[in-house]
Amino acid sequence: MSVGASALDADSPDHVLRIDGRRPLSAETIAAVAAACDRAEDLTGHAKVIVQVSGRPEGAWAQGLTVALVNKWEQALRRLERLPAATVAVADGACGGAALDALLATDYRVLTRSARLVVPVDDGATWPGMALFRLARHGASTAAIRRAVLFGTPIEAADALALQLVDEVVDDPAAAEAVARQRAGAVGGSELAIRRQLLLDAPTTSFEEALGVHLAACDRVLRRSAVGVEA
């Protein structure tokens, strides 16, 4: 897998984004994520983005990074996370650094049995990027996540499934790719984006605060249905 490489399947509107966690974060990686987002937005929810990830950083991998570049990367991932399209990740082997970041920003995650999630370590400490935020928000009190965040201990595929960090574990990359292409769901476009945001906001929003937003979403659906009936 080459970092940041992207491709279009001639027989499918799906966009394939490949991220290699072994390679340093770069402007090329960020541009590839942006291109995938552009494609998905142009198709207005009629395609999904398949994110193929593998590899983990090794050695003095953080040398040469700047906060400005890391910020641009995090903003690109936030855009991926909010796309009006389904995003499905496929992970094989060790998955850390940019690969782990991208995996955790997707809607549906498929791992091979050999996959493991690794928070990279640099200069004796785990990298404090937004992967830590996403892992901690999922289960800061969970022992396996705590060990991963504090010590860089890998989370094996079976444990990632048990912790509900991922959705499926399959035998090999070919099976994972096939599963990814099947997983999109019936909702797309802005409707998917709205439901995703409602889901993300729910743990930190009171019922009273959430009610108005949910009623607005219901009103939107009813108005769309009424237009369809009239047509």
Side-chain angles (χ1 to χ4, degrees):
M1 272 183 208
S2 58
V3 79
S6 57
L8 295 178
D9 187 323
D11 299 322
S12 170
D14 299 341
H15 191 100
V16 178
L17 173 67
R18 301 183 179 92
I19 303 291
D20 187 341
R22 297 170 298 181
R23 300 186 59 183
L25 181 62
S26 67
E28 177 191 3
T29 318
I30 296 168
V33 174
C37 293
D38 287 342
R39 167 73 174 176
E41 290 168 353
D42 288 345
L43 292 173
T44 61
H46 296 294
K48 57 181 171 288
V49 177
I50 298 174
V51 186
Q52 298 177 343
V53 298
S54 71
R56 58 179 290 186
E58 296 180 355
W61 61 273
Q63 287 186 359
L65 282 182
T66 65
V67 171
L69 183 66
V70 174
N71 182 49
K72 288 180 181 178
W73 169 241
E74 299 291 4
Q75 295 301 324
L77 289 178
R78 188 58 168 160
R79 184 182 174 196
L80 178 69
E81 199 170 37
R82 292 178 166 180
L83 271 185
T87 55
V88 184
V90 176
D92 182 42
C95 179
L100 178 62
D101 290 341
L103 171 77
L104 295 175
T106 58
D107 296 318
Y108 200 93
R109 304 157 194 170
V110 184
L111 269 59
T112 64
R113 298 197 185 282
S114 66
R116 58 191 185 280
L117 310 185
V118 186
V119 177
V121 174
D122 181 71
D123 195 26
T126 52
W127 180 247
M130 292 300 285
L132 265 66
F133 171 82
R134 292 183 173 94
L135 286 170
R137 186 171 63 177
H138 183 84
S141 62
T142 304
I145 292 178
R146 186 173 64 253
R147 290 193 298 269
V149 168
L150 297 180
F151 309 122
T153 305
I155 301 174
E156 302 296 333
D159 292 330
L161 183 63
L163 291 168
Q164 300 183 20
L165 287 171
V166 301
D167 298 279
E168 293 190 55
V169 174
V170 297
D171 291 328
D172 54 57
E177 180 74 15
V179 168
R181 292 189 177 279
Q182 294 170 2
R183 302 295 190 257
V187 179
S190 60
E191 294 303 319
L192 182 144
I194 289 170
R195 282 149 185 77
R196 183 194 293 126
Q197 194 59 50
L198 292 173
L199 181 66
L200 292 173
D201 290 344
T204 57
T205 306
S206 70
F207 176 87
E208 289 74 17
E209 293 172 322
L211 180 59
V213 180
H214 282 260
L215 289 176
C218 292
D219 183 62
R220 177 185 172 88
V221 172
L222 294 173
R223 289 176 183 273
R224 286 164 56 98
S225 298
V227 170
V229 170
E230 292 174 0

